[in-house]
Amino acid sequence: MSNSALAGLIVAGALVVLVIIIVAAKKSSAPISQRNCGNCKRVMMPQWQKCMFCGWAPVARLEFILGPMANQTLPLTEAVTTIGSVAGNTVVLADPAVSRKHAGIRKIESDYELADLGSTNGVYVNGQKVPKRTLEAGDIIRVGNTEAVFKRE
């Protein structure tokens, strides 16, 4: 066998090994979840709390499905959102089953925590009475006769 033929075989073998390594690396690596900025549409890293390009930050919201606020949406932009039957709450519900200061939703880093503020009738998430709970997208919150779906952007 000539030197050029031997060199060709070595190069071809090296290329085959390189292709096998690349394919194996792609199969073993976990996919990176990415999201786009809601403002400038650039790709955001998963660990970013806000867009490093324009400063936009995703906001969670409550979409009311039952009660006096049905078909309305409330963005959770405050550090604490309070729900009750009297003025001074972020959400005022004209509902006899709602206490004056019924519940609160507090933003903690990238999570939102719902807490009963000592109400008479309690706070329910997905049909279960809870004193406090970290909300997940799609959770249905019931306060008195009002229900809302917790959504993330």
Side-chain angles (χ1 to χ4, degrees), residues 92-108:
V92 178
L93 299 173
D95 180 343
V98 174
S99 297
R100 288 181 290 177
K101 276 239 183 223
H102 200 106
I105 300 173
R106 178 172 64 150
K107 186 172 187 327
I108 304 171

Side-chain angles (χ1 to χ4, degrees), residues 19-149:
V19 167
I20 291 171
I21 290 171
I22 291 171
V23 169
K26 282 189 176 185
K27 285 185 180 178
S28 68
S29 65
I32 297 173
S33 65
Q34 75 176 33
R35 60 187 170 146
N36 292 343
C37 171
N39 184 43
C40 70
K41 308 299 183 212
R42 291 184 177 164
V43 175
M44 293 175 55
M45 297 296 291
Q47 65 271 23
W48 291 359
Q49 300 290 327
K50 64 180 183 174
C51 179
M52 296 299 179
F53 303 106
C54 70
W56 173 86
V59 176
R61 64 190 182 278
L62 293 178
E63 291 183 0
F64 291 90
I65 54 176
L66 284 177
M69 292 188 66
N71 301 318
Q72 294 182 46
T73 299
L74 174 75
L76 300 173
T77 56
E78 305 291 324
V80 176
T81 300
T82 57
I83 302 168
S85 63
V86 296
N89 288 293
T90 312
V91 179
V92 178
L93 299 173
D95 180 343
V98 174
S99 297
R100 288 181 290 177
K101 276 239 183 223
H102 200 106
I105 300 173
R106 178 172 64 150
K107 186 172 187 327
I108 304 171
E109 294 180 17
S110 63
D111 289 329
Y112 291 82
E113 182 181 75
L114 171 72
D116 187 330
L117 299 177
S119 69
T120 303
N121 295 321
V123 176
Y124 293 79
V125 176
N126 301 327
Q128 293 187 332
K129 190 174 185 177
V130 295
K132 187 184 280 190
R133 171 154 173 188
T134 300
L135 295 170
E136 300 290 331
D139 280 347
I140 298 174
I141 301 163
R142 183 165 53 93
V143 173
N145 297 310
T146 298
E147 286 189 0
V149 180

